[in-house]
C-alpha cells in the first residue's frame, strides 16, 4: 500500500475513502520547511493545506527525486507550495477550485456588511452590558445598497462577490485584474489599481497570494481610498501591507476594514485587534461543513487519479 500523509484532519467520509486505498498518516499541525522536506522523502503522496511550508528549500532538502509524487492541496490557494520547484522535482501539485467559491464570496459579504453596519462593535457593546437602547443617532453605519463595489482580482471568487453586489445590492461594479477579463453581468474593468481604490466605496481583494501580489495593496494604494471607504481582504494577508493598513485605520483615513486573512497567521497584531472600525475573522472563507467536505473530496480525488495513472483534474503545475 502506498503511504499518504494528510497533514490535518479532514471530513471523516473522505478520510475513510483515503484509508481504503492508502496507508494513511494523519498530521495535526502545519509542517515547517524541514518537516515538509522530511515528508517529501517519507510518503508517496501528501494531502497538505495552508501553512505547510513546501518551499523551494524544502524541495531542495528532499533531493532531486523525492519519494512523494503528488501534493493534493486542500485549498484553492497554494502559495505555501513552490509549484515550480515541485515540478522541477517531479512532484505534481493540485488544488481545490470552484467548490469553495460561494462560501468564500459569502464571507466577503459577511465582512462588507458587518463592517459597514458596525456589527462587531455593536455586538461587543451589547455583550458588555453597555447598550442604552435604540437611538435615532446611535451606532450609525454606512449604507451598502447602490454604492460602488471595487474588486481586485476578478477570478472565480471575485466574480461571485461582484455578482452578489450587482444582483443583490444594486451596486455599480468596478474591477482591476491582471489580464483583460469579460464577465456576464454589468461590471467595468479599470486600468489601474489606483483608479479602483480611489473610486470604490467598498474594495474587496480576491487575488491569489505569492510573489506577484505581495503587498499589492501598499500604503499608496490605501492612501488613494475615500475617507468613507471600506477595505475587505479575503485573499491572503501578504497581499496587503498590514502595518500601512493599521496606520490608515488608526488615523481614521478610511472608514473601516473587514479581514479574513493576515500576514503571519494565526498572529493578528494587537494594534489591529484594538481597532473598533475593523471586523476580524479567523480565516473562515471556506469554513462550511459542506464546502470543507467537498474540498477534501476534490483533494483526495486528485490523488486517486494520480494513483490510477490518470491526469489529476485540478493540476496546477
Ligand atoms: P482565481 O479564479 O485564479 O482568481 C484570481 C484572479 O486574480 C484572476 O482573475 C487573476 O487574473 C487575478 N490576478 C492574479 N494576479 C493579479 C495581479 N497581480 N493583479 C491583479 N489581478 C490579479 O482564484 P480564486 O478561486 O478566485 O481564488 C483567489 C484567491 O482567494 C486564492 O488564491 C486564495 O488565496 C484566496 N482564497 C481565500 C479563502 C479564504 O478562506 N479567505 C478561500 C478561498 C480562496 P488573471 O485573469 O490574469 O489570471
Ligand atoms: C483558503 O484560503 C484557500 O485558499 O482555499
Amino acid at each position: 500500500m502506498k503511504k499518504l500523509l494528510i497533514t490535518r484532519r479532514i471530513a471523516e467520509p473522505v478520510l475513510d475513502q483515503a484509508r481504503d486505498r492508502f496507508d494513511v498518516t494523519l498530521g495535526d499541525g502545519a509542517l515547517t520547511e524541514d518537516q515538509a522536506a522530511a515528508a517529501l522523502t517519507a510518503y508517496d503522496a501528501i494531502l497538505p493545506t495552508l501553512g505547510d511550508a513546501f518551499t523551494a528549500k524544502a524541495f531542495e532538502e528532499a533531493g532531486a527525486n523525492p519519494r512523494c509524487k503528488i501534493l493534493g492541496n486542500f485549498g484553492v490557494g497554494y502559495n505555501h507550495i513552490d509549484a515550480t520547484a515541485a515540478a522541477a522535482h517531479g512532484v505534481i501539485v493540485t488544488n481545490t477550485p470552484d467548490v469553495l467559491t460561494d462560501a468564500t464570496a459569502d464571507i466577503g459579504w459577511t465582512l462588507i456588511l458587518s463592517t459597514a453596519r458596525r456589527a462587531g462593535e455593536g455586538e461587543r457593546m451589547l455583550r458588555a452590558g453597555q447598550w442604552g437602547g435604540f437611538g435615532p443617532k446611535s451606532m450609525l453605519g454606512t449604507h451598502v445598497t447602490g454604492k460602488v463595489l471595487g474588486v481586485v482580482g476578478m477570478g472565480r471568487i471575485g466574480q461571485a462577490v461582484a455578482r452578489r453586489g450587482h444582483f443583490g445590492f444594486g451596486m455599480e461594479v468596478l474591477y482591476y485584474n491582471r489580464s483583460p477579463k469579460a464577465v456576464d453581468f454589468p461590471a467595468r474593468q479599470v486600468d489601474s489599481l489606483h483608479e479602483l481604490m480611489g473610486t470604490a466605496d467598498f474594495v474587496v481583494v480576491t487575488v491569489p497570494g505569492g510573489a506577484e501580489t505581495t503587498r499589492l495593496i501598499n500604503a499608496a494604494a490605501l492612501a488613494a481610498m475615500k475617507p468613507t471607504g471600506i477595505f475587505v481582504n479575503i485573499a491572503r494577508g501578504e497581499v496587503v501591507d498590514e502595518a500601512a493598513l493599521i496606520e490608515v485605520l488608526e488615523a481614521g483615513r478610511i472608514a473601516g476594514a473587514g479581514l479574513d486573512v493576515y500576514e503571519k497567521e494565526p498572529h493578528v497584531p494587537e494594534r489591529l485587534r484594538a481597532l473598533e472600525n475593523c471586523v476580524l475573522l479567523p480565516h473562515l472563507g471556506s469554513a462550511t461543513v459542506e464546502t470543507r467536505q467537498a474540498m477534501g473530496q476534490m483533494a483526495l480525488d486528485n490523488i486517486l487519479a494520480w494513483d490510477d495513472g490518470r491526469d489529476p483534474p485540478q493540476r496546477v503545475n
Side-chain angles (χ1 to χ4, degrees):
M1 242 185 185
K2 288 184 184 135
K3 283 174 64 108
L4 169 66
L5 171 66
I6 302 180
T7 67
R8 252 58 66 80
R9 182 170 282 280
I10 56 173
E12 292 304 324
V14 184
L15 263 183
D16 290 344
Q17 287 172 52
R19 286 181 172 128
D20 285 345
R21 180 80 77 96
F22 299 103
D23 170 9
V24 172
T25 300
L26 198 54
D28 63 0
L31 299 180
T32 63
E33 213 165 48
D34 287 344
Q35 289 168 334
L40 287 167
T41 62
Y43 296 93
D44 300 292
I46 302 175
L47 194 156
T49 191
L50 277 72
D52 293 330
F54 287 95
T55 59
K57 187 158 169 276
F59 285 102
E60 207 175 292
E61 268 180 46
N65 187 21
R67 174 172 178 174
C68 178
K69 297 295 175 228
I70 181 165
L71 296 179
N73 187 54
F74 181 100
V76 66
Y78 54 90
N79 54 306
H80 54 289
I81 300 172
D82 189 322
T84 308
H89 287 74
V91 181
I92 295 168
V93 179
T94 64
N95 71 344
T96 59
D98 300 313
V99 289
L100 45 50
T101 295
D102 285 325
T104 308
D106 290 348
I107 277 294
W109 270 92
T110 304
L111 286 169
I112 291 173
L113 292 170
S114 55
T115 308
R117 303 302 302 274
R118 302 171 64 181
E121 195 184 340
E123 221 221 6
R124 281 191 292 279
M125 181 186 74
L126 180 149
R127 285 179 186 273
Q130 288 166 357
W131 183 36
F134 176 88
K137 290 199 73 177
S138 72
M139 292 292 301
L140 303 188
T142 303
H143 205 64
V144 175
T145 297
K147 294 277 179 70
V148 179
L149 174 66
V151 175
V152 182
M154 197 63 149
R156 292 170 289 243
I157 296 169
Q159 288 179 48
V161 169
R163 268 196 201 93
R164 284 157 173 73
H166 170 72
F167 292 107
F169 292 86
M171 295 175 96
E172 178 186 346
V173 177
L174 304 179
Y175 60 100
Y176 171 72
N177 195 70
R178 175 175 55 184
S179 54
K181 185 149 252 171
V183 295
D184 60 3
F185 55 92
R188 179 166 68 85
Q189 182 161 7
V190 297
D191 293 334
S192 81
L193 179 61
H194 191 86
E195 181 184 350
L196 182 113
M197 300 295 291
T199 313
D201 297 301
F202 297 87
V203 173
V204 183
V205 181
T206 51
V207 291
E212 191 188 329
T213 56
T214 297
R215 303 211 168 165
L216 176 71
I217 309 296
N218 57 17
L222 291 166
M225 284 185 72
K226 297 177 176 182
T228 49
I230 286 179
F231 176 80
V232 170
N233 186 10
I234 54 171
R236 283 290 181 268
E238 75 226 35
V239 175
V240 181
D241 182 338
E242 207 167 66
L245 176 63
I246 292 170
E247 275 178 27
V248 296
L249 288 166
E250 282 179 345
R253 288 203 294 274
I254 64 172
L259 307 175
D260 191 39
V261 289
Y262 308 88
E263 261 186 23
K264 293 190 172 62
E265 293 179 15
H267 172 72
V268 179
E270 174 58 39
R271 279 169 66 197
L272 202 47
R273 285 187 280 135
L275 286 165
E276 282 292 7
N277 56 350
C278 222
V279 177
L280 307 173
L281 298 181
H283 206 138
L284 291 182
S286 63
T288 70
V289 172
E290 297 89 337
T291 300
R292 289 285 169 86
Q293 176 152 347
M295 290 165 69
Q297 189 67 57
M298 185 176 271
L300 180 64
D301 286 348
N302 277 291
I303 295 172
L304 292 172
W306 159 79
D307 192 41
D308 290 341
R310 292 180 283 120
D311 208 17
Q314 280 77 34
R315 186 173 182 159
V316 296
N317 68 344

